[in-house]
Amino acid sequence: MDTTDPFAPNYPTPTANRPLLGLTVLVIEDSRFACEAMRLLCLRSGARIRRADSLRAARRHLQVYRPTIAIIDLGLPDGNGVDLIKDLAEASPRPEVVLGTSGDDFGEAAALGAGADGFLAKPITSLAGFQETILACLPAERQPTGPRAVSKEEITPDPIAFHDDMAHVADVLEEHNDERTLDYVAQFLSGVARSAQDPRLEQAAVALAKKRAQGQSASSETAVLAGLVQERLTHRMAI
């Protein structure tokens, strides 16, 4: 008797060089620099990618499309990605893989506690690490068959994406300067700076976050951070 399901989706067969072939990845990430890294990782792996830069955009997207994999940044401009992880983990049907991502030390515990299948720590540059994290969460029928060489490739995003992130922060600081905005800017820039290996910018972002956490005035820290952002916009810092 033929037990083949005629309505089962016909996915392309993954290969050793393209182990994520046939998968669609929805990346919910507000950083252009981080998203460019994710785009390159998906491209090298054979996966298609869609991007949403906020919780609101992600929820609109999910009303229309059903991605195979959702990768959700925890620090988004309109809320905490943990909330979306909880919703997707409990959804029916749900994406086959739900991953959290963050550069914060507490990120992995928060994502897994909300129901994520795995976690990607920023900066995400290792092709092998990206692929293995996803493959570990996929069913056997989605795995490539036969031996597969472990890639040593490291991804380097386009510096233009870093410049776009600096322009985004400059616009945010110009339009708003309230406490919530400062918390968002500190979190956003610390992650971007770490990914771009920009220690001066990271230190300034951490200093702002520390003052905010202590409930103290952070006007001088904000001014320093804004100055570093403008410096990178002016000189298009090479990374």
Side-chain angles (χ1 to χ4, degrees):
M1 180 184 296
D2 184 3
T3 58
T4 303
D5 181 359
F7 299 104
N10 184 22
Y11 296 107
T13 303
T15 66
N17 291 331
R18 296 288 186 270
L20 305 184
L21 192 65
L23 307 184
T24 300
V25 179
L26 174 61
V27 176
I28 300 98
E29 170 64 68
D30 53 337
S31 164
R32 292 275 183 180
F33 191 73
C35 197
E36 173 63 9
M38 204 74 71
R39 184 188 71 81
L40 294 172
L41 290 165
C42 288
L43 180 66
R44 302 287 197 279
S45 305
R48 296 176 300 242
I49 182 172
R50 294 180 179 273
R51 179 192 181 227
D53 60 4
S54 65
L55 291 175
R56 182 180 179 184
R59 294 187 189 283
R60 282 202 311 266
H61 185 105
L62 290 164
Q63 290 175 351
V64 180
Y65 300 103
R66 188 184 303 167
T68 319
I69 302 159
I71 301 177
I72 305 164
D73 182 35
L74 300 192
L76 293 165
D78 55 349
N80 194 322
V82 165
D83 296 330
L84 183 58
I85 290 175
K86 288 179 180 177
D87 292 345
L88 291 184
E90 298 170 358
S92 181
R94 59 163 277 177
E96 291 186 30
V97 178
V98 178
L99 300 176
T101 180
S102 174
D104 294 325
D105 295 337
F106 62 83
E108 183 170 8
L112 297 179
D117 301 304
F119 183 78
L120 290 164
K122 293 181 178 179
I124 308 165
T125 59
S126 168
L127 181 60
F130 174 76
Q131 293 175 350
E132 291 303 321
T133 298
I134 293 175
L135 290 173
C137 301
L138 286 171
E141 62 268 20
R142 292 299 190 90
Q143 306 282 342
T145 58
R148 185 169 65 88
V150 176
S151 173
K152 296 182 179 180
E153 183 177 357
E154 295 287 326
I155 295 299
T156 303
D158 192 328
I160 292 176
F162 178 81
H163 185 271
D164 288 344
D165 280 348
M166 297 301 101
H168 166 63
V169 169
D171 289 343
V172 168
L173 288 174
E174 184 176 349
E175 293 176 6
H176 305 283
N177 200 19
D178 53 63
E179 294 183 353
R180 181 177 177 182
T181 298
L182 294 181
D183 290 339
Y184 167 70
V185 165
Q187 174 272 322
F188 178 86
L189 281 179
S190 62
V192 172
R194 190 176 302 115
S195 297
Q197 299 182 23
D198 185 345
R200 284 185 63 210
L201 187 63
E202 182 180 359
Q203 290 166 8
V206 170
L208 173 59
K210 185 177 180 179
K211 275 293 185 72
R212 292 286 308 122
Q214 294 172 344
Q216 300 176 10
S217 172
S219 56
S220 61
E221 287 77 12
T222 303
V224 169
L225 198 59
L228 290 173
V229 168
Q230 289 300 324
E231 179 181 301
R232 280 143 185 76
L233 281 172
T234 302
H235 300 293
R236 288 183 174 267
M237 178 185 171
I239 57 175

